[in-house]
Structures are given as C-alpha cells and as structure tokens.
Amino acid sequence: VVNLFNNARYPREDVSSLSLQEFMPPFDPPNGGGFSAAAACTTLIEYMNRVAVGDTVRLSARFIGLVSSRLQHGSSLSNRTVLKTLARVGIPPTRLTPATQTDQQLLDDPLLYSFPFKSPLIYMRVDSDRQNSISAIANMRSFLRAGFPLVFGFAVPGSISRDPVMPYRPLFESVSGGAAALAVGYDD
C-alpha cells in the first residue's frame, strides 16, 4: 500500500480543493443504510478495494449493520464498532443480501459470514481531544491528499427540523441520534 500511495497522482502540497469522488461507488441509500456508520464504513472499504486492486464489488452495508447491532446489543453504532465487526466477520457482496430477505434470514445465513478480509483493517483516529481545530483540519486534509477518505460520525440534535436554519448546540440541546459520513474531498 505504501508504494501505491507514494506513486499516486494526488497532490503532495496543500491545495484549496480536492476530490476523490471519481473512485467512489454510486450512493445507494436503500441498500446502504443511508447515513449510518455501516454505510460509511462499507463505502470506505469499497473505495480502498477499487483504488488498491481495481475491484468494484458492492458490499452489503445492511448485513454488516445488522451484525454490528447484534454484537453491540442494539445500541447506537459507532464507526469503530462497525470496523471491528468487519474485521471479525468480513462482509459479503450486496448481490447475496437481497432486499427480499428478512433481517433474521440474513443473520442466520452461514454463507454470509464466509467473506473474511485478506488484509488487516487498521483503525486510526486522525484527530484528538487535545488537538486544536486548525491542526485537526490540516491533518484531515493531508490524509485526503494522500488518497485516504475519512469516515466520521456526528450527533444529530433533537432540535433538527425541516427548517434550513439549525442553531449549533443551543444551551439545553438533546441528542436524537447520530449519523456518519465519508469525506472524499474538500473545497475552501
């Protein structure tokens, strides 16, 4: 992988905009789970397969989301939990997890657990609580320039509505859930 990215055509210097979108699979909310941690992590794996080996197999975010939820006992999923599940059980292609199958049928099918990863998954935070926002953004931009998209999660506030104006963190705000996304570029 190091040789692959050393010879990549990505810019080495800081640029005002960058997009890895050409390597991304098309967005598929019905199968992919929309903005879930499972969808974001699955899209990351699909991207890395496409760039590293030219493989364009669509993977089942639905399956990995179900298995992750079962292993985490139904609580809200984090990106880290989904990546741990991917490392433990692998992930089948979407074509083996049709929408006509119930969630329980997918969980009970032993074939779907037979797609292990050939390479180890490495989880790494690119930010920290001790890092200021300017340095965190610079670090994230450097990963994107090197060809690594970033999976990130964020809380969805209880005050969210259809109103286009959403105040950020009002004093007594509650959290109504979470979402995850995949950063594939930036534009100043």
Side-chain angles (χ1 to χ4, degrees):
V1 173
V2 172
N3 287 337
L4 173 74
F5 287 107
N6 282 340
N7 297 324
R9 60 190 169 139
Y10 304 110
R12 302 282 185 229
E13 70 283 345
D14 198 9
V15 293
S16 65
S17 68
L18 175 95
S19 177
L20 306 174
Q21 193 169 0
E22 68 181 287
F23 300 107
M24 292 295 148
F27 184 61
D28 184 13
N31 179 59
F35 297 100
S36 68
C41 293
T42 299
T43 304
L44 174 68
I45 301 300
E46 289 172 346
Y47 165 83
M48 295 307 290
N49 280 341
R50 188 169 188 180
V51 169
V53 295
D55 190 1
T56 57
V57 172
R58 295 303 306 265
L59 302 172
S60 179
R62 178 180 171 214
F63 173 78
I64 206 63
L66 290 169
V67 175
S68 298
S69 290
R70 178 180 267 183
L71 293 175
Q72 193 169 314
H73 307 295
S75 60
S76 139
L77 290 180
S78 68
N79 295 328
R80 187 169 188 214
T81 300
V82 172
L83 290 171
K84 282 181 169 183
T85 304
L86 283 164
R88 284 184 197 156
V89 302
I91 186 169
T94 301
R95 65 183 165 74
L96 296 179
T97 59
T100 55
Q101 284 188 313
T102 66
D103 292 351
Q104 194 59 49
Q105 285 174 318
L106 290 179
L107 288 169
D108 292 343
D109 186 347
L111 171 67
L112 301 180
Y113 294 87
S114 64
F115 294 89
F117 276 56
K118 295 177 182 143
S119 328
L121 284 175
I122 299 171
Y123 171 83
M124 183 175 78
R125 286 191 68 107
V126 296
D127 68 338
S128 75
D129 294 338
R130 297 184 187 127
Q131 194 175 32
N132 68 39
S133 60
I134 293 171
S135 131
I137 289 171
N139 197 18
M140 290 177 209
R141 289 169 63 124
S142 69
F143 272 86
L144 287 166
R145 277 194 315 277
F148 293 102
L150 304 170
V151 174
F152 61 96
F154 48 92
V156 175
S159 63
I160 197 163
S161 68
R162 294 193 178 273
D163 186 351
V165 176
M166 184 175 73
Y168 179 74
R169 303 273 182 172
L171 185 57
F172 297 108
E173 180 65 271
S174 64
V175 174
S176 70
L182 185 70
V184 298
Y186 57 85
D187 188 350
D188 293 344

